[in-house]
Amino acid sequence: MNIENPTLMFSENIDNAQKITWKCPSNIAIIKYWGKHGIQLPRNPSISFTLENAFTETILSYKPKEKPDNTIDLAFYFEGVENETFKAKQLKFLYGLVQEFPFLTHLSLRIDSHNSFPHSAGIASSASSMAALAMCLCSLESRLLGKDSPLQEGSDVFMQKASRIARLGSGSACRSIYPIMAIWGKLEGIEGSSDDYAIPFEHEVHDVFKSFHDDILIASRGEKSVSSRMGHGLMDNNPFAEPRYAQARTRMTALVEALKVGDIETFGQICEDEAMTLHALMMTNSPWFTLLKPNTLKMIEILRGYRETTKMPVYFSLDAGPNLHVLYPNSVEKEVRGFINDELKPYCENEQVIFDNVGRGPKKI
Ligand code: PMV
């Protein structure tokens, strides 16, 4: 099969080869990626839990173009409605991939995408959406290349490529490709780790972390005042950047050890330190900014008090936004859910909470 000329294949096979659907989850970084260089290359390694209930489902439909040319013919639908703003973003991404996927200019494409969480929930959807699109593109490539290609769906090379492509769309998306946990960024002592793509970390992780919960408490649903792209950029002039990157490495090594042996307390401490470091970095830019809201801090204060009094293993993390991620092992689910519902939910916008947990990664539909 000539991948540069998929038209041939379609004339043979047009009916059953027109759609590819992937459902991809979001992820929450425990060691944060904040600061980049080159084309979405990280300044420090990061590690995340892959989630389950917060996901994007993307359908990539394709048919041969009447007359192939150098342009990409795309229609983009978000939640059933044609969306020109999202389309422009996706086109920019796809044009950057034409050398990698020459078939992009030979097909008419339609992308239908929707999230499991409300768009207005203030949850970044770039990780799950770019991961879902990357999986669709790699599946399409694999289909066009046929059975003899090493890029068979689900193979190690396929996953690595999907992770790399997702990274080009949104750095953190490269970690959403794998179940349970993924590491992105070169780190001494972690074989195969790379700045180009994430690698799976499931098999090294103690069982207690594989059923961890991550409930997302919506402190504010508003649009972020500073995008993560701008935030990464501001790190270039942050006076604490270099020590921060070194700190992330040291914390990674300590966290990896805690994850292996099932040390929840060390995990929790590093997790919270990282969340606060991320937001402290934002506040040490000049001019400074903060994405935290009064209710974020209120909930952190209450959570800390609850942990001190009850000795429950419950910790928080934060993404680049005001919403609080509450992390805890499955063994205390009942108690912590009760606590969240009674004591934290009143501080959430419209009492909105997304109950989530560590998940099995992307799923082809
Ligand atoms: O993938 P981006 O460019 O949206 O950056 C994400 C950065 C954080 O979510 C704050 C941290 C991370 O590692 O996911």
Side-chain angles (χ1 to χ4, degrees):
M1 174 64 50
N2 178 1
I3 195 161
E4 297 205 24
N5 188 6
T7 321
L8 286 175
M9 178 220 174
F10 284 103
S11 52
E12 298 156 11
N13 203 5
I14 193 140
D15 291 334
N16 55 8
Q18 292 179 73
K19 270 185 192 180
I20 290 168
T21 307
W22 277 96
K23 175 175 150 181
C24 273
S26 185
N27 69 74
I28 177 73
I30 305 304
I31 301 291
K32 312 288 183 185
Y33 145 64
W34 198 241
K36 62 178 173 182
H37 64 104
I39 305 175
Q40 310 262 73
L41 292 165
R43 290 280 185 197
N44 65 261
S46 58
I47 183 166
S48 57
F49 279 129
T50 301
L51 300 180
E52 183 164 313
N53 300 331
F55 63 81
T56 300
E57 194 173 291
T58 296
I59 306 170
L60 176 64
S61 313
Y62 55 97
K63 60 179 187 210
K65 252 189 197 168
E66 307 261 297
K67 277 201 207 117
D69 54 16
N70 292 330
T71 63
I72 296 178
D73 176 23
L74 174 72
F76 188 92
Y77 289 74
F78 180 66
E79 287 170 356
V81 181
E82 210 161 1
N83 188 313
E84 291 300 322
T85 317
F86 287 178
K87 175 180 162 175
K89 282 188 191 161
Q90 301 293 3
L91 268 179
K92 194 168 167 228
F93 171 59
L94 294 177
Y95 272 111
L97 293 175
V98 169
Q99 267 204 319
E100 189 103 43
F101 298 130
F103 56 81
L104 286 174
T105 54
H106 290 74
L107 301 171
S108 283
L109 302 166
R110 172 175 161 148
I111 296 172
D112 283 89
S113 190
H114 74 265
N115 297 332
S116 62
F117 43 91
H119 184 55
S120 57
I123 299 182
S125 59
S126 61
S128 53
S129 61
M130 293 318 297
L133 181 55
M135 292 301 272
C136 287
L137 291 169
C138 289
S139 282
L140 173 53
E141 180 186 44
S142 166
R143 225 182 238 192
L144 295 172
L145 287 171
K147 287 200 173 57
D148 298 334
S149 150
L151 284 164
Q152 287 307 307
E153 221 170 75
S155 67
D156 289 352
V157 239
F158 174 93
M159 298 300 278
Q160 202 171 86
K161 179 158 187 180
S163 178
R164 182 168 58 78
I165 299 294
R167 182 203 104 221
L168 298 173
S170 169
S172 58
C174 73
R175 298 183 310 239
S176 272
I177 301 295
Y178 295 106
I180 311 288
M181 290 201 98
I183 289 181
W184 172 36
K186 185 99 199 96
L187 180 67
E188 215 173 295
I190 301 289
E191 212 189 307
S193 59
S194 168
D195 285 354
D196 291 329
Y197 44 79
I199 58 167
F201 194 61
E202 173 183 2
H203 299 299
E204 309 265 355
V205 175
H206 190 280
D207 278 350
V208 75
F209 292 111
K210 294 184 181 168
S211 56
F212 240 62
H213 290 255
D214 173 25
D215 297 338
I216 310 167
L217 281 70
I218 310 300
S220 168
R221 307 190 302 171
E223 277 273 308
K224 283 192 289 186
S225 53
V226 177
S227 67
S228 59
R229 190 166 57 85
M230 275 174 75
H232 286 291
L234 288 167
M235 279 301 283
D236 290 345
N237 293 317
N238 186 301
F240 302 104
E242 285 312 319
R244 154 62 191 159
Y245 303 140
Q247 173 193 61
R249 283 189 170 74
T250 312
R251 283 182 178 165
M252 271 294 280
T253 307
L255 179 65
V256 161
E257 197 44 41
L259 289 166
K260 284 183 182 168
V261 301
D263 179 350
I264 298 180
E265 208 177 316
T266 303
F267 160 86
Q269 191 178 331
I270 297 174
C271 177
E272 292 192 352
D273 290 350
E274 271 293 297
M276 288 316 230
T277 301
L278 172 69
H279 287 266
L281 287 166
M282 298 176 195
M283 291 185 231
T284 53
N285 282 127
S286 183
W288 66 274
F289 69 99
T290 185
L291 301 176
L292 298 176
K293 297 285 179 197
N295 279 356
T296 316
L297 294 173
K298 190 72 204 161
M299 289 196 282
I300 289 175
E301 195 185 4
I302 296 171
L303 185 143
R304 239 189 172 175
Y306 173 76
R307 183 170 67 225
E308 269 161 27
T309 335
T310 63
K311 308 287 174 235
M312 283 286 167
V314 53
Y315 302 91
F316 71 85
S317 185
L318 295 160
D319 227 326
N323 302 326
L324 198 71
H325 288 247
V326 178
L327 293 125
Y328 54 93
N330 195 36
S331 56
V332 296
E333 178 188 9
K334 200 165 158 278
E335 296 86 333
V336 177
R337 275 237 184 170
F339 158 68
I340 289 174
N341 283 327
D342 296 346
E343 296 185 47
L344 298 182
K345 221 173 167 176
Y347 294 96
C348 295
E349 196 167 335
N350 292 342
E351 304 219 329
Q352 198 177 355
V353 179
I354 295 169
F355 292 99
D356 211 340
N357 48 264
V358 172
R360 299 287 331 154
K363 205 167 165 242
K364 189 151 183 224
I365 310 287

